[in-house]
């Protein structure tokens, strides 16, 4: 009987299933380009959100500074500078912004549809990069939906540092 060493290593199986080129080094932000690419992504996405009847009400208090904040958050999460943590309240601040929004699963899924379209428009033509970014958004929007069920003055406890997301998910 022949033993397959990869069978004991789920990460090896994942890389094999993803095919050639799935072994990457460096940060996602390096593969994306820079924060300017994330600004374009955010602008494209929020233009669609504000025109969407299901999501526009969630963003009733939207301002264009939100686009910059999202770009800075994503740059940090994807391995870039820690500006969101240093200047905008870090992980706690981001989670607090979602308290009391009562995001539904239908809204979360629509959010994902619009973000996927924005990713396909604005990020480099790199299937693995795009997949990793979408996986982050799926993970993050699930947390945002869950947090949004708490009242605006809810106690989050200490959520820990701003998460980092890389080629293999949460770092």
């Amino acid at each position: 009987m022949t033993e397959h060493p990869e069978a004991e290593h789920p990460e090896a199986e994942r890389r094999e299933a993803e095919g050639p080129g799935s072994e990457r080094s460096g940060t996602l932000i390096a593969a994306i380009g820079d924060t300017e690419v994330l600004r374009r992504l955010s602008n494209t996405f929020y233009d669609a959100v504000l025109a969407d009847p299901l999501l526009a009400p969630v963003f009733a208090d939207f301002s264009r500074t939100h686009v910059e904040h999202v770009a800075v958050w994503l740059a940090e999460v994807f391995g870039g500078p820690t500006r969101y943590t240093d200047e905008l309240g870090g992980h706690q601040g981001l989670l607090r912004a979602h308290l009391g929004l009562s995001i539904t699963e239908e809204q979360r899924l629509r959010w994902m549809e619009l973000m996927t379209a924005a990713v396909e428009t604005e990020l480099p033509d790199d299937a693995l990069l795009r997949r990793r970014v979408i996986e982050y958004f799926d993970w993050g929007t699930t947390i945002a939906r869950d947090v949004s069920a708490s009242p605006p003055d809810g106690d989050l406890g200490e959520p820990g540092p701003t998460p980092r997301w890389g080629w293999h998910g949460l770092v």
Side-chain angles (χ1 to χ4, degrees), residues 14-23 131:
R14 178 175 154 173
R15 285 192 302 271
E16 184 178 310
E18 290 170 348
S22 65
E23 259 314 296
R131 182 173 36 228

Side-chain angles (χ1 to χ4, degrees), residues 41-81:
L41 174 71
S42 295
N43 271 311
T44 297
F45 171 70
Y46 284 107
D47 286 347
V49 163
L50 295 174
D52 187 86
L54 182 62
L55 293 180
V58 176
F59 294 89
D61 296 327
F62 178 84
S63 73
R64 283 288 158 185
T65 58
H66 186 74
V67 169
E68 178 65 14
H69 293 175
V70 169
V72 169
W73 168 262
L74 293 175
E76 183 170 341
V77 167
F78 295 147

Side-chain angles (χ1 to χ4, degrees), residues 143-154:
I143 293 169
R145 181 205 58 214
D146 293 347
V147 167
S148 78
S150 296
D153 59 351

